[in-house]
Amino acid sequence: MAATMKDLAKRTGLGIATISSYFNGGNVREKNRIKIEEAIEELHYEVNEVARNLKRNATKTIGVVIPELNNIFCSEIITEMEDVLRNHGYATIICDCRTDKKLEKEAIEFLMYKRVDGIINMPVDTAGKNLQIVQKQRKPIVLLDRQIMDLQCDSVLVDNEAAAQKAVSYLIENGHSNIGIIGGPREVYTAQERMNGYVLAHKKHNLDIRESLIYHGDYTIKGGVNGVEELVQKNPDMTAIFVTNYEMTMGAVIGVNEMNIKIPEQISLIGFDNLQFARACSPKLTIVAQPTKSIAQEAAGLMLKRLGGNNGEEMAEAEPEYQTIRLQTSMIAGKSVINLK
């Protein structure tokens, strides 16, 4: 017959409460910890995780819902986040909603049916309706990269406005005044912030903005190709382009190559994310790099905090204030920007 907690208590002379505190990660005196661990080894005690989690109403799983699994930004975050959560005893269930609000809703409902302990979401539905079921069940939510203004939860963001302003200012400081931008979808939070940064850089340097220099893409490779083609066609005097995500950066490079336009002699280019791709390009691209590792670590940390640290307890009542962590990007210089001065 398998040993029980009562057997451990009898073997150590300690109370059930002390034994339970040890297994739940609570504070236990060192001499008592040694006694318990010796008894565990001697009695071959094994923790019944299923029963333990059912009693706690916890599954030690976290649901993660992202727009595109094949997006390098998303995949890098997931990889790091899984490592952090795994080290604290949590498994993850990853759902790719393909940037579809309906699929996102179905994914969240599926995860709640699976009784995940919390949801980490890079939201497609900017109104937050898809997360209402999570709120009703009082499960913690951590938003990634995108904010939902009316939703009370933790979030980890990048200062996209500052990132875009810095990139465009760099082009201006190198003598460029007719600068195109391949932005993201108008309704997406990150796209709005990056477009704001583009506008602020022009205002800072007293430059007018032409609507013909602005293209709203869809965060896909095809969107980048289409964006470059349209910007070049409409703006023969354009000397530089800022591309606001990785997939569209790839598309922009493809489009430029197909039109036999030389970088940076004819068009200077600043892209977004993926240092390896930037290095593979000739010439090496100047890019805005997001801190994916820090984003993942902060998101996992916020979720663990809401779940009671390492113990997997229910969401703490003593944590009423939600946190918004905003991280900074860096710009990695390549050879894709020519100085016109």
Side-chain angles (χ1 to χ4, degrees), residues 82-93:
E82 276 193 306
D83 287 344
V84 175
L85 293 171
R86 188 185 301 111
N87 288 337
H88 288 84
Y90 285 87
T92 51
I93 303 176

Side-chain angles (χ1 to χ4, degrees), residues 1-10 16 19 43 45-46:
M1 184 180 293
T4 66
M5 287 183 64
K6 288 183 178 179
D7 294 325
L8 293 178
K10 184 177 180 181
I16 292 290
I19 305 292
L43 299 174
Y45 179 82
E46 294 182 1

Side-chain angles (χ1 to χ4, degrees), residues 8-132:
L8 293 178
K10 184 177 180 181
R11 172 65 179 78
T12 59
L14 301 172
I16 292 290
T18 302
I19 305 292
S20 178
S21 180
Y22 168 83
F23 283 115
N24 290 325
N27 292 323
V28 176
R29 292 179 181 177
E30 181 63 15
K31 65 177 183 179
N32 291 339
R33 181 188 66 78
I34 294 172
K35 285 182 180 180
I36 294 169
E37 290 177 357
E38 287 177 346
I40 289 171
E41 187 174 354
E42 181 181 326
L43 299 174
H44 305 290
Y45 179 82
E46 294 182 1
V47 178
N48 187 334
E49 287 289 351
V50 175
R52 184 180 176 193
N53 289 333
L54 284 173
K55 186 177 180 181
R56 288 179 172 179
N57 192 28
T59 60
K60 300 291 282 185
T61 57
I62 305 296
V64 180
V65 185
I66 47 92
E68 298 287 346
L69 189 57
N70 62 356
N71 181 300
I72 190 70
F73 175 67
C74 294
S75 61
E76 286 182 356
I77 288 174
I78 288 170
T79 298
E80 182 66 27
M81 199 157 55
E82 276 193 306
D83 287 344
V84 175
L85 293 171
R86 188 185 301 111
N87 288 337
H88 288 84
Y90 285 87
T92 51
I93 303 176
I94 313 296
C95 294
D96 177 353
C97 70
R98 295 168 178 76
T99 316
D100 185 295
K101 292 180 182 180
K102 183 180 178 182
L103 290 178
E104 181 181 62
K105 182 175 184 291
E106 291 174 357
I108 291 171
E109 289 175 349
F110 165 78
L111 291 169
M112 297 312 292
Y113 174 76
K114 290 294 184 180
R115 298 176 65 247
V116 296
D117 298 332
I119 295 285
I120 297 175
N121 181 209
M122 190 179 293
V124 175
D125 176 18
T126 55
K129 293 180 181 178
N130 291 343
L131 291 166
Q132 288 176 352

Side-chain angles (χ1 to χ4, degrees), residues 193-204:
E193 282 208 321
R194 290 168 194 173
M195 191 61 70
N196 288 343
Y198 173 83
V199 172
L200 288 173
H202 281 75
K203 288 183 177 179
K204 179 182 177 181

